[in-house]
Amino acid sequence: MNKKKINDIDMKNWKDYDDIITDSLWIIDKRDNSGNHLGDYHGNFIPQIPNQLIKRYTKENDWILDAFVGSGTTLIECRKLNRNAIGIDIDKNILEIAKERSTTELGTSKLEFINSNSAVVNLDEILQKNNIDKVQLIIYHPPYWDIIKFNNLEGNLANCTTLDEFINGFSKVIDNTTKYLECDRYLGIVIGDIYKNGEWIPLNSYVTQLMLAKNFLLKSIVVKNISETKAKQNNKSIWKYRSLLGGFYVFSHEYILIFQKTKKTNI
Ligand SMILES: C[S@@+](CC[C@H](N)C(=O)[O-])C[C@H]1O[C@@H](n2cnc3c(N)ncnc32)[C@H](O)[C@@H]1O
């Protein structure tokens, strides 16, 4: 079968790729702090997440969209790996930081920045300007509903007052951005569950159901450790106490949901 190649992995030498994770459990104990990665934005992800997705699902010079770009972790990785990218964030201040950090990273790939709500943004002009009509990978790292207060901006998913509002808002982002994803290509959603009023809210399950209802093909559910969370690390014993008292387990993992857009996808 002559499947179209979606990455630069040389399958004749597949055994040589020690850097590429193929298991669904990612235990990464040290964040990559190289280059312009500072890891100081509350709610950022470790660079190894976009790094793995980019190497696995794109080739050099492909285009990647990050619909919740924050401090630009994905775009810094795109620069390092010679991929072009578009980063969207509703918050213009953090977008400026993303721009500053990613465009000064070593590399020559093209980077575009859009200050907008990903549920309504129109990418036609940016795509036209770069002579492309689709992107080859989308990465989503939305707020985990309201656990971090990012800003007061209307449209920020962290400001949703109910779970339904959050899932519907995320659904709009998916509909509005995956139309720009090339068919048969992949998207990764990085999300964690949350704990509210004594109840575990499985955001990852709600999001998975949402994507399945749109007929995206579920390729993997990756579980990644989050043992490095600064807040938790400094308060380990108090979390153990709370856990024992409250009958719950302390979060030490998050999810990377990998889906493929196919001809059957309802977008
Ligand atoms: C979890 S953070 C992303 C962090 C990023 N991965 C990093 O490493 O810095 C989520 C981001 O989504 C942005 N955001 C929330 N709702 C949005 C929306 N509707 N459209 C675009 N950006 C949004 C927030 O401003 C925040 O910067």
Side-chain angles (χ1 to χ4, degrees):
M1 194 166 61
N2 191 13
K3 269 178 104 184
K4 199 177 157 208
K5 225 171 142 21
I6 58 156
N7 57 38
D8 290 324
I9 297 170
D10 172 8
M11 288 306 290
K12 284 195 199 92
N13 295 310
W14 60 273
K15 284 187 181 162
D16 297 345
Y17 291 91
D18 292 340
D19 58 322
I20 294 193
I21 307 174
T22 47
D23 293 334
S24 65
L25 178 62
W26 294 9
I27 307 289
I28 303 175
D29 290 327
K30 230 180 142 13
R31 71 172 299 130
D32 172 11
N33 285 324
S34 65
N36 287 352
H37 291 302
L38 297 185
D40 55 351
Y41 184 43
H42 192 32
N44 73 97
F45 54 26
I46 61 168
Q48 287 97 325
I49 294 178
N51 179 284
Q52 288 292 324
L53 301 180
I54 293 167
K55 288 194 295 204
R56 189 77 193 270
Y57 298 118
T58 66
K59 295 183 287 216
E60 283 202 25
N61 300 314
D62 274 352
W63 280 83
I64 291 144
L65 170 66
D66 186 327
F68 301 93
V69 76
S71 57
T73 313
T74 298
L75 270 57
I76 294 173
E77 284 306 302
C78 286
R79 254 293 160 91
K80 290 181 171 186
L81 295 167
N82 203 20
R83 268 71 166 177
N84 304 306
I86 302 167
I88 307 170
D89 205 286
I90 201 160
D91 180 344
K92 72 172 180 348
N93 298 323
I94 195 63
L95 194 72
E96 273 310 308
I97 291 173
K99 190 172 185 175
E100 211 309 280
R101 290 182 186 173
S102 52
T103 54
T104 55
E105 184 64 58
L106 280 181
T108 54
S109 60
K110 293 179 201 153
L111 302 177
E112 299 281 3
F113 303 85
I114 306 177
N115 176 216
S116 183
N117 179 344
S118 289
V120 296
V121 67
N122 184 330
L123 297 182
D124 293 345
E125 222 174 276
I126 286 274
L127 298 185
Q128 255 172 38
K129 178 184 145 199
N130 289 288
N131 288 320
I132 50 166
D133 59 354
K134 291 278 188 287
V135 299
Q136 283 73 42
L137 169 70
I138 308 185
I139 295 178
Y140 299 95
H141 185 210
Y144 303 171
W145 185 7
D146 58 355
I147 53 162
I148 295 176
K149 182 103 194 127
F150 286 97
N151 48 58
N152 290 320
L153 298 167
E154 202 190 321
N156 187 324
L157 292 182
N159 297 333
C160 293
T161 50
T162 64
L163 175 61
D164 274 357
E165 198 189 321
F166 172 76
I167 296 297
N168 288 336
F170 185 65
S171 174
K172 285 186 187 135
V173 172
I174 292 292
D175 292 346
N176 189 45
T177 49
T178 54
K179 62 187 178 207
Y180 299 107
L181 179 65
E182 202 173 293
C183 194
D184 296 327
R185 290 301 194 125
Y186 291 72
L187 64 90
I189 302 171
V190 183
I191 189 128
D193 294 336
I194 64 170
Y195 204 68
K196 220 182 212 337
N197 303 326
E199 190 180 2
W200 188 293
I201 318 263
L203 293 183
N204 100 85
S205 306
Y206 290 113
V207 166
T208 302
Q209 289 307 320
L210 176 82
M211 299 302 284
L212 292 176
K214 295 179 194 292
N215 275 337
F216 282 94
L217 196 70
L218 178 59
K219 297 295 289 189
S220 284
I221 297 179
V222 171
V223 174
K224 180 201 147 282
N225 68 314
I226 47 171
S227 59
E228 248 201 334
T229 302
K230 278 185 201 140
K232 293 252 169 72
Q233 233 174 24
N234 299 336
N235 298 301
K236 251 192 163 146
S237 51
I238 187 73
W239 277 101
K240 179 157 189 164
Y241 176 80
R242 284 181 189 158
S243 151
L244 290 170
L245 204 65
F248 65 91
Y249 288 88
V250 180
F251 288 113
S252 58
H253 70 282
E254 59 192 343
Y255 303 86
I256 303 157
L257 311 171
I258 316 276
F259 291 92
Q260 189 177 20
K261 179 177 171 180
T262 72
K263 287 186 193 75
K264 290 186 185 157
T265 303
N266 310 324
I267 295 293

